[in-house]
Amino acid sequence: MAASLAGFRQGLSEIGYTEGKDVTIDYVWARGRYEQLPVLAAELVRRQVTVIAATRSSAPALAAKAATSTIPIVFQTGGDPVNDGLVTSLNRPDGNVTGVTRLSNELIQKRFELIAELVPKATTIALLVNPANIAAKAQVQQMQEPTRERGLKFQVVNASSEAELDAAFAAAAQLHADAVIQAADQLFAGRRDQIVALTMRYAIPTIFFDRESVLAGGLMSYSASWSDSFRQVGAYVGRILKGAKPADLPVLQPTRFELVVNLKTAKALGIELSPSLLARADEVIEL
């Protein structure tokens, strides 16, 4: 989280704004409780904030969009903002909404390729999904074709609350999953320590959607750079504060991607990382 916020502030500073000097930032967190988003969005509208930055998934931005058609909204999502109903076009978003996509759902197939390379004898792959996430269906669809092409069994394990995470990994173990791919979801980001502990308890190699989970002891992650994505959001917020209209700012896509691996965790799981994979890693954690 610290790196993401630092990226956001960097983007603002690139446009000439410094928190506490030129602009005030109010931080509002739903902490993975999607049912709270409409209430939080309505409160921001009531307070007549100048810009709403809705980050980490499409859900906060959709709640904000439902709450106001006039206050500019800059989203950051891992999904397809057109399919999710945030904008009608990436190049020319209409209305009061624009933002940044990390392409997290599209990267599920890349994560599958990486975990399949790491566990070449795998016969069953599980995808951890939050069914309350509007992107859940698309996330599952991303996995169906590549696993079918390789002749692998594909299982979905669901968790929409902290309590259900334990059951999800127990189910993955009962299904004899050889590896788990984590779909992007704010609940999972907020419970990364719990999820990392579960991957170790059940000794299931897992690839995450965020670098912070690998720093917390997870095995591997592949994603667009979170800090750079937040920097893009901060820069768009700054441009809107300068007078730009969201409809004139095309939706940005990621330009930097990060493969992060944890050697200590790999050793604990009895996995040998190939020289080829290590050479491709942007960051190798050894502690």
Side-chain angles (χ1 to χ4, degrees):
M1 180 62 71
S4 298
L5 292 179
F8 180 78
R9 296 187 186 104
Q10 178 187 343
L12 276 173
S13 70
E14 291 174 359
I15 310 300
Y17 290 98
T18 301
E19 182 180 8
K21 179 181 178 182
D22 311 294
V23 64
T24 298
I25 305 174
D26 290 334
Y27 300 94
V28 180
W29 315 102
R31 303 187 185 281
R33 298 189 297 272
Y34 291 102
E35 71 279 2
Q36 293 295 315
L37 291 171
V39 176
L40 296 174
E43 174 61 17
L44 293 175
V45 173
R46 186 192 67 79
R47 289 160 53 188
Q48 297 184 331
V49 298
T50 307
V51 185
I52 297 175
T55 63
R56 294 188 172 265
S57 78
S58 291
L62 287 169
K65 183 179 180 181
T68 178
S69 61
T70 56
I71 297 175
I73 299 166
V74 179
F75 63 77
Q76 184 216 46
T77 178
D80 183 332
V82 175
N83 288 342
D84 290 348
L86 287 171
V87 295
T88 56
S89 168
L90 296 182
N91 291 329
R92 294 195 61 81
D94 58 352
N96 61 320
V97 182
T98 189
V100 179
T101 176
R102 301 186 312 277
L103 301 177
S104 289
N105 294 342
E106 288 77 359
L107 294 179
I108 285 178
Q109 292 190 17
K110 179 63 177 180
R111 295 186 192 107
F112 165 70
E113 293 172 4
L114 288 165
I115 201 71
E117 177 182 348
L118 199 65
V119 191
K121 295 182 179 180
T123 59
T124 302
I125 302 292
L127 179 69
L128 175 64
V129 172
N130 180 354
N133 191 324
I134 63 170
K137 182 178 179 180
Q139 291 168 342
V140 172
Q141 289 175 339
Q142 287 288 331
M143 279 292 298
Q144 291 174 336
E145 183 176 349
T147 50
R148 183 171 59 248
E149 288 179 349
R150 295 200 184 200
L152 302 178
K153 294 180 181 178
F154 170 48
Q155 303 286 350
V156 177
V157 291
N158 294 307
S160 56
S161 68
E162 299 170 11
E164 292 177 356
L165 284 169
D166 286 351
F169 274 88
Q174 291 172 356
L175 292 166
H176 303 290
D178 298 295
V180 169
I181 298 170
Q182 183 194 64
D185 189 85
Q186 182 56 28
L187 170 66
F188 302 155
R191 301 300 301 175
R192 63 173 55 93
D193 289 339
Q194 178 184 357
I195 295 174
V196 167
L198 287 167
T199 68
M200 301 307 291
R201 179 194 305 174
Y202 290 101
I204 303 178
T206 300
I207 185 166
F208 296 83
F209 73 91
D210 64 331
R211 170 180 176 271
E212 285 79 4
S213 291
V214 184
L215 294 177
L219 174 62
M220 178 193 308
S221 69
Y222 185 79
S223 66
S225 169
W226 279 77
S227 60
D228 192 58
S229 179
F230 270 83
R231 182 194 62 78
Q232 292 175 310
V233 172
Y236 260 16
V237 168
R239 290 181 63 179
I240 289 171
L241 291 174
K242 291 282 190 181
K245 296 179 180 179
D248 295 330
L249 300 174
V251 174
L252 298 175
Q253 299 186 47
T255 57
R256 292 175 52 198
F257 298 89
E258 299 175 335
L259 171 60
V260 185
V261 297
N262 190 312
L263 287 181
K264 181 179 179 181
T265 301
K267 183 177 181 180
L269 292 171
I271 294 174
E272 183 176 351
L273 300 174
S274 69
S276 172
L277 191 146
L278 288 173
R280 282 177 279 146
D282 298 281
E283 184 174 2
V284 178
I285 298 168
E286 301 186 44
L287 299 178

